[in-house]
Amino acid sequence: MSDETDDRLLALEARVAALEAQLAAPAPRADDSGLFTYGGQASLGGYEWSWQVSRSPEWLLEQPSAQLAAVLAAAGHPARFEILKLLVTGPKPITELQAELGLASPGQLYHHLKTLTAAGLVDQPERGVYRVPPKAVFPVLALAAAAVDVAHQS
């Protein structure tokens, strides 16, 4: 396949994943605790993203802590968060990630990628190439937004 075809296929995958995520998500249910909504539109790495998710705060707080903590722990390491920031704009080959991050060894990078992959924050669409999967782009941006909001509180 040509690079143009690959790019078009990745963009189509992103759009389908966003639509599937909206269909698979539990229907927004306002309850006595209210309704929490996040989403938006973004242009990243040549891809157009549109996303909106609504959940009741009560439902969010009922989710298993271990699974949520695993995602937060994976994203919470400074090197792994840098990897997410690089990959959220689109797929990158391992050599490019290694050069941009300046990690001492490829082993360190593979260790971080393994942790991010296990948490569902990164996948490998082809050999030697990593990305934030389309279904995780806005959740990664939401993690960044929440961290900024907490860090910049007075």
Side-chain angles (χ1 to χ4, degrees):
M1 272 194 246
S2 71
D3 287 343
E4 181 182 337
T5 303
D6 288 345
D7 289 345
R8 291 179 68 200
L9 181 59
L10 286 172
L12 183 58
E13 282 180 343
R15 291 173 57 200
V16 168
L19 290 170
E20 287 175 341
Q22 289 175 349
L23 292 174
R29 174 179 61 88
D31 56 22
D32 289 341
S33 67
L35 193 61
F36 173 77
T37 301
Y38 75 94
Q41 298 166 341
S43 297
L44 295 168
Y47 302 104
E48 297 291 325
W49 303 95
S50 180
W51 192 273
Q52 182 169 330
V53 176
S54 297
R55 307 269 195 262
S56 86
E58 181 181 330
W59 182 86
L60 288 169
L61 296 173
E62 291 170 352
Q63 300 310 298
S65 294
Q67 289 176 319
L68 303 179
V71 172
L72 294 172
H77 187 282
R80 290 194 288 266
F81 202 77
E82 282 298 318
I83 292 168
L84 289 172
K85 286 170 42 180
L86 291 169
L87 294 178
V88 79
T89 62
K92 295 205 182 323
I94 194 80
T95 53
E96 188 175 326
L97 285 172
Q98 179 74 28
E100 289 189 43
L101 293 167
L103 293 174
S105 75
Q108 286 180 313
L109 180 54
Y110 282 111
H111 168 75
H112 292 311
L113 287 168
K114 182 178 178 182
T115 302
L116 290 166
T117 299
L121 294 168
V122 168
D123 70 7
Q124 189 177 8
E126 60 185 90
R127 185 175 169 90
V129 175
Y130 291 85
R131 69 177 181 177
V132 171
K135 67 180 180 156
V137 169
F138 262 85
V140 166
L141 292 173
L143 287 172
V148 165
D149 290 346
V150 170
H152 293 140
Q153 286 182 2
S154 307

